[in-house]
Amino acid sequence: MSDNTTAPLLVAARGGVPSRTPVWFMRQAGRSLPEYRKLREGTAMLDACMDPEMVCEITLQPVRRHDVDGAILFSDIVVPLKAAGVDLDIVPGTGPVVAKPIAGRADVDALPVLEAHQVQPVADAIGLLNAALGDVPLIGFAGAPFTLASYLVEGGPSKHHERTKALMHADPELWHALLARIADITAEFLRVQVAAGVKAVQLFDSWAGALSERDYREFVLPHSTRVLETITSVPRIHFGVGTGELLPAMREAGADVVGVDWRTPLDVAVRRLREAAPELPAPVVQGNLDPALLFAGETALRREVDRIVAEGKAAAGHIFNLGHGVLPDTDPDMITKAVEWVHRAG
């Protein structure tokens, strides 16, 4: 097992100068790969996430195929909730569905506490991966408190998050109690991963972009901060979708690397981050190719890769990624070519 200290991804995450621009893709392990679909056939998502050998193989597949500079642990943001005892399932074509959505104080008080042994299969998978990955660092991850709260309150995915927003404004005390309970679960899940040997972590606040900056700072930032401040030994990446107006606040939560979706050019994001906190070290960013452009053909894709690599030079460090996850119908060969072009351009 390597200590990965000179791995391009970790050098860039620390604001150093890597040997090449590092690249990995959110959802690189999954539905776009035929070998993944074959392996997962007949196995439910949450069962797969708790099978160490399957997690190891699925996580390794894109590293073998694409030569990416980071492996993202195959899991799901609701795994720690399910492991702790929350009654939920991932419904194909829908996403996470919660049997009894949070509606009042009794529901919040009934939320379980996550114990490390409940996610031991995840730790076991990390052990297998560290033995197999060599110099490629493994990235652990978890869902941020707001995004997990939205699933618990709405009962599943939501376009408008109306029940979630209504609860946070109608009963702030209950809202903060809910997020504090979720933050404890998320922090424990990340601690288990770091103890098992992941070399970086990413906190996904997938739905934070649904909030105004004012609401984010009041209702979300304290809880994401609590999660991220429990992790100090590895780089922390913080990412959300549609969060161009929230980037400085998301960095304040404790991010060493700020993930940027495709809506905001990286050089613009870097400028916003610098201006918001000139006293801090120059920002490090991750992103931000539009996943749809993997369907646009080689000429258009290469042009976008070159543009993003150039814009990333405005930052102290740049980890190339998508502005969200790989779409299921993406041609894996286009992912491989994008990786080659990033390495050449950077």
Side-chain angles (χ1 to χ4, degrees), residues 182-241:
I182 298 172
D184 288 342
I185 292 173
T186 297
E188 180 62 16
F189 190 44
L190 287 178
R191 280 194 293 265
V192 167
Q193 294 177 55
V194 172
V198 299
K199 300 302 188 293
V201 296
Q202 176 158 308
L203 188 67
F204 283 84
D205 212 349
S206 307
W207 308 134
L211 299 174
S212 67
E213 182 185 8
R214 179 187 61 224
D215 284 354
Y216 179 87
R217 287 185 175 279
E218 180 177 352
F219 296 111
V220 178
L221 178 59
H223 305 285
S224 293
T225 300
R226 275 191 59 217
V227 171
L228 288 170
E229 69 186 10
T230 67
I231 305 301
T232 58
S233 60
V234 300
R236 300 159 296 180
I237 309 166
H238 198 9
F239 172 77
V241 181

Side-chain angles (χ1 to χ4, degrees), residues 28-346:
Q28 65 188 15
R31 294 170 294 177
S32 66
L33 300 183
E35 56 265 41
Y36 166 82
R37 293 193 294 270
K38 181 179 180 181
L39 182 62
R40 267 285 316 280
E41 189 173 355
T43 303
M45 177 65 179
L46 289 173
D47 291 338
C49 292
M50 297 297 275
D51 181 327
E53 287 77 16
M54 187 173 287
V55 168
C56 180
E57 173 58 23
I58 292 171
T59 303
L60 289 170
Q61 286 174 348
V63 179
R64 294 193 200 106
R65 182 186 271 262
H66 303 311
D67 190 31
V68 285
D69 297 289
I72 180 71
L73 179 70
F74 176 73
S75 189
D76 189 272
I77 62 172
V78 300
V79 161
L81 296 178
K82 177 73 172 180
V86 175
D87 188 0
L88 59 81
D89 198 8
I90 297 177
V91 178
T94 300
V97 175
V98 178
K100 188 177 185 295
I102 298 290
R105 169 62 67 171
D107 299 319
V108 172
D109 291 343
L111 280 175
V113 173
L114 179 67
E115 304 287 349
H117 69 86
Q118 294 172 310
V119 286
Q120 184 60 41
V122 176
D124 293 341
I126 291 168
L128 294 175
L129 281 160
N130 280 329
L133 280 167
D135 293 334
V136 178
L138 177 62
I139 306 163
F141 82 90
F146 171 76
T147 292
L148 293 178
S150 178
Y151 283 118
L152 290 176
V153 173
E154 303 288 342
S158 173
K159 288 184 178 180
H160 305 293
H161 309 279
E162 59 269 30
R163 292 183 179 87
T164 307
K165 293 181 179 181
L167 175 61
M168 72 167 58
H169 283 277
D171 195 340
E173 183 180 354
L174 181 61
W175 172 261
H176 285 295
L178 170 62
L179 261 70
R181 297 293 289 270
I182 298 172
D184 288 342
I185 292 173
T186 297
E188 180 62 16
F189 190 44
L190 287 178
R191 280 194 293 265
V192 167
Q193 294 177 55
V194 172
V198 299
K199 300 302 188 293
V201 296
Q202 176 158 308
L203 188 67
F204 283 84
D205 212 349
S206 307
W207 308 134
L211 299 174
S212 67
E213 182 185 8
R214 179 187 61 224
D215 284 354
Y216 179 87
R217 287 185 175 279
E218 180 177 352
F219 296 111
V220 178
L221 178 59
H223 305 285
S224 293
T225 300
R226 275 191 59 217
V227 171
L228 288 170
E229 69 186 10
T230 67
I231 305 301
T232 58
S233 60
V234 300
R236 300 159 296 180
I237 309 166
H238 198 9
F239 172 77
V241 181
T243 53
E245 297 302 316
L246 306 181
L247 294 176
M250 292 179 74
R251 189 189 192 196
E252 287 176 34
D256 302 300
V257 182
V258 179
V260 184
D261 82 354
W262 70 90
R263 296 168 179 85
T264 307
L266 288 182
D267 52 352
V268 173
V270 170
R271 186 178 70 245
R272 290 180 184 175
L273 292 167
R274 285 182 186 273
E275 291 174 351
E279 74 283 1
L280 294 179
V284 178
V285 295
Q286 177 178 279
N288 67 343
L289 178 69
D290 187 335
L293 294 180
L294 290 167
F295 295 80
E298 292 189 21
T299 300
L301 177 59
R302 186 158 193 172
R303 182 174 62 243
E304 289 300 296
V305 166
D306 288 345
R307 176 184 64 80
I308 292 164
V309 169
E311 290 173 353
K313 294 185 186 303
H318 173 213
I319 300 167
F320 194 102
N321 206 309
L322 298 180
H324 200 191
V326 173
L327 298 170
D329 295 328
T330 303
D331 180 354
D333 289 343
M334 295 304 289
I335 300 174
T336 302
K337 289 175 180 177
V339 172
E340 292 174 357
W341 295 332
V342 171
H343 287 160
R344 291 176 188 170

